[in-house]
Amino acid sequence: DQQVKQNSPSLSVQEGRISILNCDYTNSMFDYFLWYKKYPAEGPTFLISISSIKDKNEDGRFTVFLNKSAKHLSLHIVPSQPGDSAVYFCAASATSYGGSQGNLIFGKGTKLSVKP
Amino acid sequence: DAGVTQSPTHLIKTRGQHVTLRCSPISGHKSVSWYQQVLGQGPQFIFQYYEKEERGRGNFPDRFSARQFPNYSSELNVNALLLGDSALYLCASSLQLRGPYEQYFGPGTRLTVT
């Protein structure tokens, strides 16, 4: 049973427009969420994170929104650039609970294509 | 500063063989985690080591083992390889054992089992 779900395998947007990537989770113990970007033949690169005590975190063109009641988070990229084309992974962690030891649970990823 | 490094980058093994993958964390990072990523899936947690002790284990068979050395580098060992072990094996390092924290990934080792 997938605890972190990214239901859109792919997304295509025009350069300059907003990209919105979505992620849903089922485990109520998750309290820390991260987004990673992955290019082919490279490891995932950390983008942005958010703690469950917040509902928004911004870093430049990237903003992550967290809706705890809906168990949903989203990554907004504004404006989108061709270099943003990659696979984006949502990940979650139950950092406050010793049993999980803080390991990351990943979704399957969404492939973003930004067209010039 | 150097990021997380992994060796080798690619590896081809035969079923039943054994493989050792190596990882060097970012300088100052004491926690190392291993993940397996098969095609079309997100990375799946295998192990976490901190201060040379196993601190977490994912749902993988006992054929998978790991260790961490005094310099915080780590090895992942897989015995009796199966075709299904073909995957990208990722190593990630972080400053702390418990969060919130970010994990920084290496480029991975692509293992092909024939």
Side-chain angles (χ1 to χ4, degrees):
Chain A
D1 184 30
Q2 272 224 299
Q3 298 184 68
V4 177
K5 300 177 185 179
Q6 294 178 257
N7 292 321
S8 298
S10 63
L11 174 68
S12 182
V13 300
Q14 208 67 32
E15 181 179 6
R17 298 289 189 107
I18 184 172
S19 295
I20 300 176
L21 297 102
N22 293 304
C23 177
D24 297 294
Y25 62 96
T26 58
N27 190 335
S28 301
M29 292 198 296
F30 288 150
D31 56 4
Y32 196 64
F33 305 89
L34 308 91
W35 284 93
Y36 284 85
K37 176 171 74 173
K38 188 178 185 301
Y39 295 116
E42 294 183 12
T45 301
F46 169 72
L47 269 178
I48 191 168
S49 61
I50 187 167
S51 166
S52 59
I53 62 174
K54 296 185 176 181
D55 54 18
K56 177 183 174 181
N57 188 28
E58 272 183 273
D59 185 1
R61 296 187 297 115
F62 302 92
T63 303
V64 56
F65 295 91
L66 175 62
N67 182 334
K68 283 178 59 180
S69 61
K71 293 189 176 69
H72 176 84
L73 62 155
S74 61
L75 174 68
H76 293 210
I77 307 174
V78 183
S80 300
Q81 301 172 353
D84 295 330
S85 297
V87 177
Y88 288 77
F89 290 99
C90 170
S93 178
T95 63
S96 300
Y97 297 88
S100 74
Q101 299 292 342
N103 74 75
L104 297 179
I105 308 297
F106 283 83
K108 291 186 177 183
T110 296
K111 184 176 183 179
L112 173 66
S113 299
V114 180
K115 301 185 184 305
Chain B
D1 281 345
V4 177
T5 58
Q6 292 185 245
S7 63
T9 53
H10 294 86
L11 203 51
I12 299 175
K13 290 286 190 178
T14 304
R15 275 178 300 176
Q17 285 188 317
H18 162 271
V19 68
T20 298
L21 310 180
R22 295 178 174 85
C23 170
S24 292
I26 292 172
S27 177
H29 285 195
K30 297 181 179 180
S31 174
V32 170
S33 295
W34 287 94
Y35 292 81
Q36 180 196 65
Q37 186 181 15
V38 299
L39 200 61
Q41 303 290 322
Q44 187 174 359
F45 173 73
I46 310 175
F47 286 110
Q48 183 178 25
Y49 274 77
Y50 181 78
E51 292 282 14
K52 296 171 286 180
E53 290 187 10
E54 182 183 304
R55 297 304 190 107
R57 185 184 184 110
N59 189 22
F60 280 81
D62 291 343
R63 300 184 295 108
F64 288 76
S65 64
R67 55 179 176 167
Q68 188 177 33
F69 299 99
N71 66 353
Y72 304 113
S73 67
S74 178
E75 282 183 356
L76 175 70
N77 295 283
V78 187
N79 292 323
L81 285 166
L82 303 173
L83 293 179
D85 295 330
S86 296
L88 180 68
Y89 288 85
L90 295 162
C91 173
S93 75
S94 58
L95 271 171
Q96 302 164 14
L97 170 63
R98 297 185 191 278
Y101 61 91
E102 292 75 39
Q103 293 190 7
Y104 296 88
F105 285 82
T109 294
R110 173 71 62 187
L111 173 64
T112 302
V113 182
T114 63

